[in-house]
């Protein structure tokens, strides 16, 4: 389960622009991969030195610089190479940012939250993904290291295999493809959570247990975290597709509108799931209350049946010497018969009233 707020106390007292990494994935070295491509060829270079990045970007075609593993040294070095503002670098290193869009003229900065199901499918991983879009390049920053499940790997495979139109279009289309890949993983997580909600709903309807209540609250927390991650993306993509950002060509607006539609669909599904969980909580409480009412009803009926019987037994349990029925030969059997008849009559009355 992801935490809604994390690493916030570490920033207290630091001046603006302080380049310190606040995240969960620790590494001593950032792994930089450069993909340069055009409609004719694709070139991939692994473990590129930071000092060589500016030179590689000058090559013809589109250049994608993919940084995996965040370190203060690497982010600061890349910032110097591309004249990125220190506050932008600070946002990249502080990985609890709200999704945001920043247009700085020479480049565009977009920060979103990536959500992906883990390999064992028992939980999911949240990760901040930052994009810098320039005239002919895109820089992506991720916390995960090579070998981890990379949500952007589908885009790199498309480029290497030269599938689709991505190799024929510019850096803004590459930026769209990366952003769209992040949003598509929201659907995978929603499908995973939806299956868990359906299973939980069936179990609550059949036999509510305290363990299910804990699982229900965990799902509500996950959906709340997902809403916090996805809702700002709506505003971000809306600003992009309305043409309010540098380096986005008019031909790419239609693709960004498609991303906007996907984000709206994700948000609506999250809200539906939250309503379902709230309804399931009401069903759980109602079922527990109904079962308790049934138990109390049975106990009350049993007590009501035995009240007159206890009264009769109490009367004849008094130690008076002169009681007419005490010395009668058939008095014991008569009292038992009367008590049995009263009990049966009360049971019949309760059944007629549908209390049983």
């Amino acid at each position: 389960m992801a935490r809604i707020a994390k690493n916030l106390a570490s920033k207290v007292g630091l001046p603006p622009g302080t380049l310190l990494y606040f995240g969960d994935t620790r590494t001593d070295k950032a792994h930089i991969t450069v993909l340069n491509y055009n409609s004719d060829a694709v070139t991939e270079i692994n473990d590129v030195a930071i000092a060589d990045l500016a030179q590689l970007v000058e090559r013809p075609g589109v250049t994608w610089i993919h940084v995996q593993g965040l370190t203060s040294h690497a982010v600061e070095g890349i910032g110097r190479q591309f004249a990125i503002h220190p506050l932008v670098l600070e946002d990249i290193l502080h990985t609890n940012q709200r999704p945001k869009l920043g247009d700085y003229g020479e480049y565009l900065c977009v920060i979103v939250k990536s959500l992906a199901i883990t390999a064992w499918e028992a939980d999911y991983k949240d990760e901040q993904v930052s994009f810098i879009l320039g005239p002919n390049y895109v820089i992506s920053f991720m916390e995960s290291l090579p070998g981890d499940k990379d949500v952007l790997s589908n885009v790199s495979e498309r480029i290497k295999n030269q599938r689709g139109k991505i190799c024929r279009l510019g850096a803004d289309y590459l930026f769209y493809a990366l952003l769209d890949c992040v949003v598509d993983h929201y659907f995978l997580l929603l499908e995973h959570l939806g299956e868990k909600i359906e299973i939980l709903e069936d179990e609550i309807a059949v036999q509510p247990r305290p363990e299910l209540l804990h699982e229900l609250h965990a799902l509500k927390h996950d959906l709340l975290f997902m809403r916090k991650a996805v809702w700002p993306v709506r505003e971000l993509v809306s600003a992009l597709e309305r043409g309010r950002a540098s380096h986005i060509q008019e031909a790419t607006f239609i693709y960004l509108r498609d991303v906007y539609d996907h984000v709206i669909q994700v948000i609506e599904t999250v809200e539906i799931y939250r309503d379902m969980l709230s309804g399931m909580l009401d069903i759980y409480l109602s079922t527990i209350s109904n079962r308790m009412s049934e138990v109390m009803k049975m106990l009350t009926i049993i007590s009501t049946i035995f009240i007159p019987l206890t009264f009769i037994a109490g009367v004849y349990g008094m130690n008076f010497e002169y009681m007419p029925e005490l010395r009668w030969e058939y008095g014991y059997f008569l009292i038992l018969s009367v008590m049995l008849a009263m009990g049966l009559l009360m049971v019949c009355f309760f059944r007629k009233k549908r209390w049983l």
Side-chain angles (χ1 to χ4, degrees):
M1 180 186 298
R3 289 174 293 166
I4 294 179
K6 60 182 180 179
N7 303 322
L8 297 179
S10 304
K11 297 179 59 177
V12 176
L14 295 178
T18 301
L19 300 185
L20 291 176
Y21 170 61
F22 297 107
D24 297 327
T25 304
R26 298 293 174 177
T27 181
D28 297 328
K29 178 185 177 182
H31 299 266
I32 303 176
T33 302
V34 175
L35 271 174
N36 180 271
Y37 64 90
N38 52 37
S39 58
D40 299 323
V42 177
T43 304
E44 181 181 14
I45 307 175
N46 295 314
D47 295 326
V48 179
I50 296 176
D52 299 332
L53 293 177
Q55 182 179 357
L56 291 174
V57 169
E58 295 177 357
R59 300 171 64 179
V62 177
T63 302
W64 176 20
I65 302 172
H66 188 36
V67 182
Q68 292 179 283
L70 298 181
T71 65
S72 303
H73 172 73
V75 173
E76 183 179 7
I78 294 172
R80 285 198 301 268
Q81 290 282 319
F82 295 93
I84 301 174
H85 196 279
L87 290 178
V88 176
L89 302 178
E90 180 186 15
D91 290 341
I92 293 172
L93 288 170
H94 293 179
T95 58
N96 196 40
Q97 296 294 325
R98 183 180 186 270
K100 61 176 65 176
L101 165 67
D103 190 349
Y104 297 86
E106 296 181 358
Y107 58 88
L108 184 71
C109 176
V110 171
I111 296 176
V112 293
K113 187 71 71 175
S114 166
L115 303 174
I117 303 173
T118 54
W120 50 91
E121 296 188 355
D123 203 350
Y124 64 93
K125 180 180 72 172
D126 66 289
E127 180 180 4
Q128 178 173 295
V129 183
S130 306
F131 300 112
I132 302 293
L133 171 63
N136 65 327
Y137 66 86
V138 175
I139 308 174
S140 58
F141 297 89
M142 298 188 66
E143 295 181 78
S144 61
L145 301 174
D148 296 340
K149 192 172 183 179
D150 188 353
V151 297
L152 305 181
S153 58
N154 292 336
V155 178
S156 62
E157 291 298 325
R158 285 163 55 191
I159 295 174
K160 294 174 187 177
N161 298 326
Q162 292 187 310
R163 296 200 309 264
K165 60 182 68 175
I166 190 170
C167 291
R168 301 193 303 270
L169 299 177
D172 58 334
Y173 187 87
L174 171 62
F175 165 75
Y176 147 74
L178 295 173
L179 184 61
D180 182 62
C181 193
V182 172
V183 174
D184 285 345
H185 276 78
Y186 294 158
F187 287 102
L188 297 178
L189 180 58
L190 277 178
E191 182 179 355
H192 176 67
L193 293 176
E195 293 175 356
K196 294 177 68 175
I197 290 173
E198 290 179 3
I199 295 173
L200 182 62
E201 186 177 23
D202 293 338
E203 291 180 349
I204 288 178
V206 174
Q207 185 177 6
R209 306 186 305 275
E211 297 82 6
L212 300 180
L213 187 61
H214 296 312
E215 187 173 349
L216 191 148
H217 282 299
L219 284 172
K220 289 189 69 174
H221 182 281
D222 291 340
L223 288 174
L224 181 62
F225 180 85
M226 190 171 185
R227 185 180 186 275
K228 176 178 178 288
V230 177
W231 192 270
V233 179
R234 173 187 178 182
E235 306 169 11
L236 184 155
V237 179
S238 177
L240 289 174
E241 62 95 10
R242 287 199 300 266
R244 297 181 181 178
S246 303
H247 308 298
I248 302 291
Q249 304 299 321
E250 186 175 354
T252 311
F253 291 160
I254 188 171
Y255 299 107
L256 292 173
R257 292 190 189 101
D258 183 63
V259 176
Y260 180 79
D261 293 339
H262 289 171
V263 173
I264 294 296
Q265 185 177 351
V266 170
I267 292 174
E268 290 177 348
T269 306
V270 169
E271 296 299 329
I272 291 173
Y273 284 168
R274 291 182 66 198
D275 291 340
M276 289 177 62
L277 289 176
S278 297
M280 289 164 59
L281 179 60
D282 294 338
I283 292 174
Y284 175 87
L285 296 176
S286 298
T287 304
I288 295 296
S289 178
N290 289 338
R291 289 194 174 187
M292 182 64 68
S293 299
E294 289 293 327
V295 172
M296 294 302 297
K297 184 178 74 173
M298 289 302 300
L299 293 176
T300 303
I301 290 174
I302 293 172
S303 300
T304 304
I305 292 174
F306 276 90
I307 283 173
L309 307 184
T310 305
F311 171 75
I312 295 174
V315 169
Y316 284 93
M318 294 187 295
N319 296 323
F320 290 107
E321 184 176 355
Y322 300 102
M323 293 184 70
E325 294 84 2
L326 289 180
R327 298 185 181 276
W328 186 35
E329 181 180 357
Y330 302 104
Y332 174 73
F333 301 102
L334 176 63
I335 296 303
L336 286 181
S337 300
V338 171
M339 294 170 69
L340 178 61
M342 290 181 63
L344 291 175
L345 287 173
M346 294 180 72
V347 170
C348 293
F349 176 76
F350 292 151
R351 290 181 65 86
K352 184 177 181 180
K353 290 291 186 179
R354 295 185 179 180
W355 294 347
L356 278 176

